[in-house]
Amino acid sequence: MSTMEPRRRIPAAERRESILAAASIVFGERGYAGATTDQIATAAGISQAYVVRAFGSKETLFVEVARRAVMRIEAAFRAAVAATDGGRTVQQRLGAAYIDLIADRGILLSLLHIFSLGHDAAIGPVGRSGFMRIYRLLRDEAGLSPEDASHFLAEGMLINTVLALQLHDTGDPDALELVTQACGGDLGKFRSLAAAADG
Amino acid sequence: MSTMEPRRRIPAAERRESILAAASIVFGERGYAGATTDQIATAAGISQAYVVRAFGSKETLFVEVARRAVMRIEAAFRAAVAATDGGRTVQQRLGAAYIDLIADRGILLSLLHIFSLGHDAAIGPVGRSGFMRIYRLLRDEAGLSPEDASHFLAEGMLINTVLALQLHDTGDPDALELVTQACGGDLGKFRSLAAAADG
DNA sequence: TTGACATGTTATCAGTCGATTACTACTGTT
DNA sequence: AACAGTAGTAATCGACTGATAACATGTCAA
């Protein structure tokens, strides 16, 4: 840079968070193998070398993104279970909580990619354990039957897919119909996402 | 090779098919970016250069794998719709047809990866059009309501995920419970897959 | 102020990957 | 038998990527 700004120095812990946020988006868009540490660095506004050094390796960073994403979902679901919302069922509260997560671009898409890499020796176990943690939470803490928990997960996977395919901002009316159906009519979160898509 | 076998020459059309079959498996396991043309070549028993030259580029090969996978699903669903099976509903016949596709390792997993790359400029449109073709088939040819079609797709996406995560051959009883629920109790196709997993 | 540590970069390396080129060998036809 | 076309490979190249090392700069306690 010729016009060198003072270049703010930021505490390592805080910097790690911004790297994780950037990585979540980039991994969500391109997948683990498809994303580069340089793309993540650019998104985070730092150099490629710093991204690698901050987490040791690309793989470690990805695993940490996955861990955080699962934790975010767990927290959202626990809050939904605990909420004593008047007339709404647990399923409805859980569904709304999941839809709310769409707003945080990257979480659901990163998970989608993690879940697709079960074959990988290093990442596979992380995906499996994260997925099963969520299943057990639905069954044991939310009190859903195996059947209901399975159905709920299925709807979630469809939302992930529709989100990844970006069906929400095509002009296709059939796609809109499907997206509407998939998210239970609540298109608000998808719309806000279309505005933010410029990576 | 020191022990040089006569090395069979195979017609190009036939060779293309075996490359596509190998590519379907490798792409299904590792994804588009994660798979290498050399891995595909080894799986097909030929040289890396020949894989590339046979399809022009890795991307072209991937798109062709995707096209074939969608066509296979469409054919299976059309057959299920046309079948005048005694007491079973259309949904049941479609579900069974989808479960049968698991046996052909690669199809569903390749599609999972394609559907996760909506962000990609070249592959995204292919995934979107393939996905919407399947949705329209369910709605217009199988006669499912938008709601039923959406539910059916959701169950399919869960099966894909469970398959990719390889939850079917972990010792975890919770995982087995979930897999059983996801595939409607028909675990046979999953078991045969566990035996074939040695890549 | 000064020095020690923490933050961050530039430069570079070694490995990998898709693609290209030039070449070999097989096969069927006339 | 010789030719022509097809099937296939070895060798190699340039681009890219994750990682490392060496270095620079900002910050804070004493």
Side-chain angles (χ1 to χ4, degrees), chain B residues 162-180:
Chain B
V162 154
L163 207 57
L165 278 174
Q166 302 177 344
L167 289 183
H168 48 90
D169 53 31
T170 64
D172 188 345
D174 291 337
L176 187 67
E177 176 184 277
L178 173 55
V179 174
T180 306

Side-chain angles (χ1 to χ4, degrees), chain B residues 49-111:
Chain B
Y50 196 22
V51 169
V52 172
R53 219 188 39 182
F55 288 88
S57 74
K58 180 188 178 184
E59 187 181 282
T60 305
L61 172 57
F62 186 67
V63 169
E64 182 62 18
V65 167
R67 236 177 45 83
R68 298 291 190 100
V70 170
M71 279 170 39
R72 288 286 297 271
I73 288 191
E74 289 179 319
F77 283 176
R78 287 211 173 88
V81 170
T84 56
D85 190 335
R88 297 163 71 196
T89 68
V90 189
Q91 264 108 330
Q92 287 172 326
R93 296 202 303 269
L94 287 169
Y98 195 77
I99 293 287
D100 280 344
L101 287 175
I102 293 177
D104 198 321
R105 206 157 64 115
I107 291 185
L108 303 189
L109 295 185
S110 287
L111 281 178

Side-chain angles (χ1 to χ4, degrees), chain A residues 31-102:
Chain A
Y32 172 61
T36 70
T37 54
D38 192 55
Q39 288 162 350
I40 295 168
T42 300
I46 57 176
S47 68
Q48 179 262 340
Y50 198 22
V51 169
V52 172
R53 218 187 39 181
F55 287 87
S57 73
K58 180 188 177 185
E59 187 181 281
T60 304
L61 172 57
F62 186 66
V63 169
E64 183 61 19
V65 167
R67 236 176 46 84
R68 299 289 191 101
V70 170
M71 280 169 39
R72 289 285 300 270
I73 288 192
E74 288 179 320
F77 282 176
R78 288 212 172 89
V81 170
T84 55
D85 191 333
R88 297 163 72 196
T89 67
V90 189
Q91 265 107 330
Q92 287 172 327
R93 296 202 303 269
L94 288 168
Y98 195 78
I99 293 288
D100 281 344
L101 288 175
I102 293 176

